[in-house]
Amino acid sequence: MAADSETLSVEGELAALNAAVRRDLDIINYPRHAWTPRLSRDGAPVLDVAIIGAGQGGLATAFALQRGNITNVRIFDRAPRGGEGPWITFARMITLRTPKYVTGPDLGIPVLTPRAWYEARYGAQAWQDLGKIPREDWQAYLDWYRAVLDLPVENDRSFERVEWDDGLLRLTFRDSAGREHRQWARKLVLATGIDGNGAWHVPDFIRDALPRDRYAHTSDPIDFAALKGKRIGVLGAGASAFDNAATALEAGAASVALCLRRKVIPSVNPYRWMENTGFLAHFPSLPDVLRWRFMRQIYDLNQPPPQDTFWRCRRHPTFSYHTGCGWNAARMEGGDVMVGTPDGEKRFDFVIIGTGFATDLGRRPETASFAGSVALWQDRFTPPEGEDSALLSAHPYLGDSYQFLPRDAADPLAPMLANIHNFTFGATPSMGLSGASISGMRFGVERLARGLGRALFVADGAYHLDSLLNYTTPELVSLDPPDA
């Protein structure tokens, strides 16, 4: 009975929060009508904006457009409902790494904040007692956010390619049954997350030498229960490497040895420095040389494991870490995985690779067809002597609304690129924290939505002028005295 009463209480709090969201949005709903013309091509409707990815970035972008009365929008995601993004798939931290008071998807509306949802779900005291938001709760918050805002999402849509056809984007999707789906759109937003401009990276010496059932990347589905009693090697210095090491230990691995190339474990988190309004709001306005220098420092620092994540590993006596111990070779010896290091060979039963991702548009199926036309930083900027970075040079060099820019202005695909907006982690060198980052989401989403709205309005300028010239709705409807 007590449990039933508690459930009813939570349902009541969430219902009250939902009502407050609708009321507050109605209060600030001005202007109150959509303004973009509805187009069609070959009898099929044309979206103003198609968004690929229904994770936090895609959902927040759709809401920002909705706030700007751009309603002819749809989000597409390959995952089933509730499985979008990393939070219940390959994210293996206990909590988010960002402070609990972070905001972003709410776009500054208090009743849409994570805190408002959490207090309705668990109570105000629970929020006060909370350290950081558990990742499962973050996914639940995003699920609620999507539902209460009634955002238009089509799940089970794997994006395959985009083509340019007489001023419009023709998008091709495929569902899990293999059926093809087509959609016309004027604008395309790629909100495809951390690896949205490339692919997760596994060194060739691992991929070429080991059977596929003897290694996994940290982004892969991993059966940790099957690792019970096994000797596990983990390669990587970042937070996700430690998350996976801890998960293996908690699943009963006999031992976990985490190896990193660096001489010391990273300890300074540049994300905490970047969480200031000046940087988050205005970084894209800096000259190239300053943006380059900021990013060289940020990427060099890497994101360290939070203290609680390190302790999650260190509390296990069978955990060890080895600095200055990057792997350089791998082979099988009998049933064992042998890994070469500067300290000699190490012997494991299974290895987990936490070496991040490679930025290469040619490795993403949906961007491969136009990857060669996109301007990269190496095409637009020559760093000062001694400040080279192959990593940064490979990132796309973006316009002020996250749009791709052409390597050659005369490229026939240049008009198409201007209508594809890259709201992924790959935008970071050009735009700072924004796509795929909770910390910078609010600033990035607002910049993106303003740019999309501006481009649509300018493209339709003649249409809007004609609308004004034909506007005849009278406001003064009578010259008679008012009724007594």
Side-chain angles (χ1 to χ4, degrees):
M1 182 68 72
D4 291 342
S5 176
E6 181 179 343
T7 299
L8 289 173
S9 175
V10 170
E11 290 176 351
E13 291 294 329
L14 288 172
L17 179 61
N18 292 349
V21 169
R22 289 189 288 269
R23 179 180 183 275
D24 284 3
L25 290 179
D26 184 64
I27 288 173
I28 60 175
N29 184 19
Y30 174 81
R32 285 185 171 247
H33 57 84
W35 52 270
T36 58
R38 293 300 175 106
L39 306 179
S40 64
R41 172 70 64 86
D42 299 332
V46 177
L47 294 174
D48 286 329
V49 184
I51 301 170
I52 309 301
Q56 58 199 21
L59 295 177
T61 298
F63 176 50
L65 291 169
Q66 190 180 88
R67 289 286 314 281
N69 300 116
I70 301 173
T71 58
N72 185 22
V73 174
R74 197 175 308 156
I75 313 169
F76 302 87
D77 200 286
R78 65 188 175 193
R81 182 163 187 162
E84 306 90 351
W87 307 111
I88 60 170
T89 52
F90 65 84
R92 297 183 177 113
M93 70 282 275
I94 300 297
T95 67
L96 301 188
R97 300 183 185 116
T98 46
K100 70 177 183 180
Y101 49 78
V102 69
T103 62
D106 52 271
L107 302 186
I109 297 172
V111 291
L112 279 173
T113 58
R115 176 176 179 173
W117 174 84
Y118 196 92
E119 289 185 346
R121 177 66 182 82
Y122 299 109
Q125 187 58 50
W127 176 262
Q128 294 302 319
D129 296 339
L130 183 67
K132 295 178 181 177
I133 300 173
R135 62 179 172 86
E136 295 89 351
D137 280 325
W138 184 254
Q139 181 64 51
Y141 161 70
L142 293 174
D143 292 342
W144 167 80
Y145 175 94
R146 167 182 170 175
V148 75
L149 295 174
D150 194 23
L151 297 175
V153 181
E154 283 192 30
N155 289 97
D156 190 22
R157 293 293 182 270
S158 183
F159 181 44
E160 292 195 336
R161 64 184 179 274
V162 56
E163 298 161 288
W164 188 241
D165 188 330
D166 194 22
L168 291 177
L169 301 166
R170 185 172 62 232
L171 314 179
T172 300
F173 301 88
R174 197 168 297 278
D175 63 25
S176 56
R179 293 182 295 262
E180 188 176 87
H181 303 264
R182 296 284 184 89
Q183 176 65 60
W184 294 102
R186 302 179 67 188
K187 289 283 189 179
L188 175 64
V189 173
L190 301 178
T192 46
I194 196 80
D195 63 326
N197 280 179
W200 298 106
H201 175 62
V202 175
D204 289 342
F205 68 82
I206 295 286
R207 181 184 293 106
D208 295 343
L210 301 183
R212 191 61 186 87
D213 62 352
R214 290 306 189 95
Y215 72 90
H217 192 276
T218 54
S219 65
D220 289 333
I222 299 176
D223 182 3
F224 283 94
L227 303 185
K228 184 176 182 179
K230 305 291 187 181
R231 300 160 298 176
I232 309 303
V234 179
L235 176 63
S240 64
F242 283 85
D243 290 333
N244 280 264
T247 304
L249 289 161
E250 291 159 0
S255 64
V256 174
L258 187 146
C259 302
L260 57 151
R261 174 179 49 81
R262 295 172 183 245
K263 298 296 185 183
V264 296
I265 297 175
S267 61
V268 176
N269 189 347
Y271 280 70
R272 299 294 82 83
W273 180 91
M274 288 188 279
E275 290 168 346
N276 70 79
T277 302
F279 182 87
L280 294 174
H282 306 302
F283 172 82
S285 300
L286 291 174
D288 286 354
V289 67
L290 284 182
R291 287 193 290 176
W292 183 266
R293 286 171 172 164
F294 267 106
M295 287 299 151
R296 282 190 80 237
Q297 175 67 4
I298 288 164
Y299 276 59
D300 184 61
L301 285 173
N302 202 355
Q303 188 174 15
Q307 187 64 64
D308 53 357
T309 300
F310 183 79
W311 282 337
R312 187 182 165 201
C313 294
R314 200 73 173 91
R315 66 168 50 97
H316 295 270
T318 54
F319 171 72
S320 61
Y321 64 91
H322 307 267
T323 57
C325 190
W327 298 353
N328 51 40
R331 63 185 180 87
M332 295 298 298
E333 181 177 278
D336 295 341
V337 175
M338 306 298 295
V339 172
T341 81
D343 299 331
E345 285 193 315
K346 294 186 180 295
R347 186 182 299 269
F348 302 113
D349 298 305
F350 188 84
V351 293
I352 299 174
I353 311 302
T355 49
F357 55 92
T359 300
D360 182 352
L361 292 170
R363 295 179 64 178
R364 293 285 296 196
E366 68 270 27
T367 57
S369 65
F370 60 83
S373 296
V374 173
L376 307 179
W377 270 82
Q378 66 192 21
D379 302 314
R380 297 297 182 94
F381 176 73
T382 302
E385 186 175 353
E387 298 183 31
D388 293 342
S389 169
L391 175 61
L392 292 179
S393 291
H395 283 72
Y397 185 98
L398 302 176
D400 61 0
S401 300
Y402 295 87
Q403 73 272 31
F404 288 120
L405 299 176
R407 185 171 294 176
D408 179 354
D411 191 317
L413 292 182
M416 181 180 84
L417 298 180
N419 289 289
I420 303 178
H421 300 257
N422 183 36
F423 200 58
T424 72
F425 189 80
T428 304
S430 294
M431 311 304 289
L433 289 182
S434 46
S437 168
I438 299 173
S439 303
M441 184 183 304
R442 190 189 97 204
F443 301 89
V445 165
E446 291 175 348
R447 182 182 298 112
L448 172 61
R450 283 195 306 271
L452 290 166
R454 180 178 64 243
L456 289 170
F457 183 81
V458 170
D460 298 331
Y463 164 87
H464 293 297
L465 174 59
D466 188 62
S467 174
L468 171 62
L469 294 175
N470 287 282
Y471 181 72
T472 59
T473 302
E475 187 159 316
L476 177 65
V477 296
S478 175
L479 299 180
D480 296 328
D483 293 336

